[in-house]
Amino acid sequence: MSKLGTYVWQLPGIESQPLSNSRISRVERLQFAGNRLMVNALKLAIGVIPIRRPQLLVGADATRRLAEAAAERSLKKILIMTTAGMVKRGQAGPLVRALELQRITPVIYDGVQPDPTWEVVNDALELLQAEACDGIVALGGGSAMDSAKVVAVAAANDGKPERLVGYFKGRRKPLPLFAVPTTAGSGSEATIAAVISDDRTHSKSFVIDSRLTPLAAALEPRLMTGLSPALTAATGMDALTHAIEAYIGVIGTTETDRYAREAVQLIFRYLQPACSNGADLEAREALSIASYKAGCAFTQASVGYVHAISHQLGAYYGLPHGLGNAILLPEVLEFCGQSVAEKLAQLAVLTGLGEESEPEDILAQKFVVHIRYLNRELGVPATVAELRAEDIPGIARRALREALLNYPVPRQMGRADCEALLQGLLVAREPDENDSIDAALARVA
Ligand SMILES: [Fe+2]
């Protein structure tokens, strides 16, 4: 059995790839020290910044109760930020009717698009001001929620929305904001951050403020039954990545660890059923709760290299965020090796992949093997078809910079290791189609 941290945890029949610790340069060691200073500051900050959780409304009448919550705040006119597709499919209807029942006038902005840009924010803000709306409901996935967050804080503060980039830039608190997530992945309904893209530079800007968390979130499983298996899988794996990266990071708290563990359990149990039968309301509801819990975990405990690298693959090739995370998750966990073995072993026991009496490294390997097989069952490839070898140095440089400046990772990754990891995504490493998860797990043991 290979030593953790020395060789890739491998599936039977797949050749191992050495990942060396000796390829870290002196400059990188200094950068890692800088990262640790930042991480310590982050840890202090999460101990003192109050995190508000949204009022959680779950079930078939969640949208109605959300409208009641808005009425209790005496709101009169609400901007619904959503996509043209949602409106066309009639998915805005229940929310519109629920608001009208509460004598609240709905105004629809349907220009939200994936990876929302400042143009979306400015257009929606213009409509909100022209109609004198006094609140906002985001109806959609992470894109609708993120853009609505920035509109809410921009509407309450003077100047261009672009100047809100960074930490706590809005002087006044945002307009009342509510969320009706229609995917189970981003967890944006629970987070204090919003990501806005610049379509000229393809860069992403973060607006971070603890007051950005919506006041209430309606998790209504019926709104998610129309999601395709591919989108269900990608968003579910995004939520799983949030939970795992928050759990293995070095600034987690007792509370974020609990949220992360609960999210992992729910996703392991319900993601495949939701992909096989989109109308399974129990699975849809469980995944929406898992996404929320993962959001609660990572909004404080942050994420790591999976997100850092996935963001670059999104910027270079338009690779969907959840899909990129799903592909990268087992690779990054293997790289982390011994530094995360204890945590992954805990998750393996929690999810029934092994017994507490088994050696820690065996349990950890079982956990990673399970994720690889889960990917296969969900139709997630093990490689990135768009990835070009000549882009790898640039992708690695940008990913490592993002991680150094932002993420409390459990094991530092040097440029050579990141490039080796990306090289691995050029070569197909699919599990044997005839192999089963159970057989593979038994072989690990
Ligand atoms: Fe994510």
Side-chain angles (χ1 to χ4, degrees):
M1 187 58 63
S2 58
K3 285 275 183 208
L4 300 186
T6 305
Y7 291 98
V8 169
W9 284 322
Q10 53 182 316
L11 291 169
I14 291 174
E15 205 170 314
S16 60
Q17 297 180 354
L19 288 170
S20 166
N21 270 330
S22 62
R23 293 182 290 189
I24 305 294
S25 69
R26 276 182 63 188
V27 172
E28 285 176 328
R29 285 184 201 286
L30 282 173
Q31 289 173 332
F32 296 162
N35 169 269
R36 281 306 181 236
L37 285 175
M38 179 279 295
V39 165
N40 285 332
L42 206 57
K43 192 161 188 169
L44 280 177
I46 70 164
V48 294
I49 295 172
I51 300 288
R52 189 187 62 212
R53 308 284 181 214
Q55 181 187 359
L56 202 57
L57 309 165
V58 185
D61 62 347
T63 303
R64 180 181 60 75
R65 287 189 284 148
L66 184 106
E68 288 171 2
E72 281 165 18
R73 294 181 170 266
S74 306
L75 300 180
K76 299 286 178 240
K77 205 172 194 181
I78 277 189
L79 183 73
I80 298 174
M81 286 188 62
T82 189
T83 64
M86 292 287 296
V87 175
K88 201 171 157 191
R89 291 190 297 272
Q91 285 180 289
L95 175 60
V96 166
R97 286 189 290 280
L99 290 171
E100 286 174 342
L101 210 61
Q102 298 299 324
R103 299 181 191 284
I104 297 172
T105 305
V107 175
I108 295 181
Y109 172 79
D110 67 356
V112 174
Q113 288 168 3
D115 299 320
T117 60
W118 291 105
E119 191 182 353
V120 167
V121 171
N122 280 301
D123 288 352
L125 180 61
E126 201 175 303
L127 180 61
L128 178 142
Q129 288 167 337
E131 293 284 347
C133 296
D134 50 8
I136 302 176
V137 178
L139 173 69
S143 300
M145 290 187 276
D146 281 12
S147 48
K149 284 175 176 177
V150 181
V151 173
V153 69
N157 290 277
D158 303 326
K160 287 172 67 123
E162 286 88 335
R163 68 167 196 85
L164 297 168
V165 171
Y167 291 83
F168 299 94
K169 291 290 177 68
R171 283 205 3 250
R172 287 185 288 276
K173 68 177 183 182
L175 247 55
L177 172 68
F178 303 85
V180 184
T182 58
T183 60
S186 77
S188 185
E189 67 276 15
T191 72
I192 63 171
V195 186
I196 303 296
S197 299
D198 188 317
D199 52 0
R200 283 172 298 120
T201 63
H202 300 292
S203 62
K204 292 182 187 293
S205 301
F206 291 81
V207 176
I208 298 173
D209 190 320
S210 55
R211 299 167 300 178
L212 287 184
T213 313
L215 298 171
L219 308 184
E220 194 160 320
R222 270 182 307 179
L223 288 172
M224 302 177 193
T225 55
L227 293 175
S228 68
L231 191 54
T232 303
T235 48
M237 290 304 290
D238 185 24
L240 182 67
T241 306
H242 294 154
I244 294 175
E245 291 209 294
Y247 196 61
I248 64 174
V250 297
I251 62 167
T253 65
T254 308
E255 188 185 31
T256 62
D257 281 354
R258 179 172 53 79
Y259 277 125
R261 283 194 299 266
E262 290 170 357
V264 171
Q265 277 182 299
L266 288 169
I267 294 165
F268 269 37
R269 180 165 173 200
Y270 286 105
L271 185 52
Q272 281 171 292
C275 289
S276 338
N277 174 16
D280 183 337
L281 290 177
E282 184 189 346
R284 290 292 185 191
E285 184 172 302
L287 288 179
S288 67
I289 293 169
S291 171
Y292 165 77
K293 286 177 186 275
C296 290
F298 91 89
T299 199
Q300 283 179 279
S302 194
V303 288
Y305 285 121
V306 178
H307 272 78
I309 301 170
S310 181
H311 285 155
Q312 315 316 317
L313 295 176
Y316 270 72
Y317 310 116
L319 189 71
H321 176 66
L323 182 62
N325 283 354
I327 297 169
L328 287 159
L329 182 58
E331 310 302 331
V332 170
L333 292 179
E334 281 179 349
F335 165 78
C336 292
Q338 194 61 52
S339 68
V340 297
E342 185 185 354
K343 290 282 183 74
L344 297 192
Q346 290 166 359
L347 294 178
V349 173
L350 191 74
T351 50
L353 297 174
E355 302 292 330
E356 219 164 336
S357 55
E358 293 176 69
E360 196 174 86
D361 62 343
I362 297 293
L363 287 167
Q365 287 181 67
K366 283 185 171 183
F367 189 76
V368 179
V369 165
H370 183 80
I371 289 174
R372 285 198 183 283
Y373 274 84
L374 182 60
N375 273 346
R376 189 189 71 175
E377 295 297 304
L378 299 175
V380 173
T383 55
V384 178
E386 299 88 341
L387 183 60
R388 298 185 310 175
E390 59 266 37
D391 292 338
I392 285 178
I395 293 170
R397 192 174 59 249
R398 288 173 186 221
L400 295 179
R401 182 178 156 77
E402 177 177 326
L404 273 175
L405 295 176
N406 296 286
Y407 302 144
V409 295
R411 181 188 172 196
Q412 301 283 3
M413 188 183 284
R415 192 158 162 191
D417 286 329
C418 190
E419 290 185 6
L421 188 151
L422 285 160
Q423 291 284 350
L425 300 183
L426 291 167
V427 185
R429 300 175 62 219
E430 308 276 1
D432 180 351
E433 271 192 17
N434 299 316
D435 208 357
S436 71
I437 295 180
D438 289 343
L441 291 177
R443 277 198 296 274
V444 171

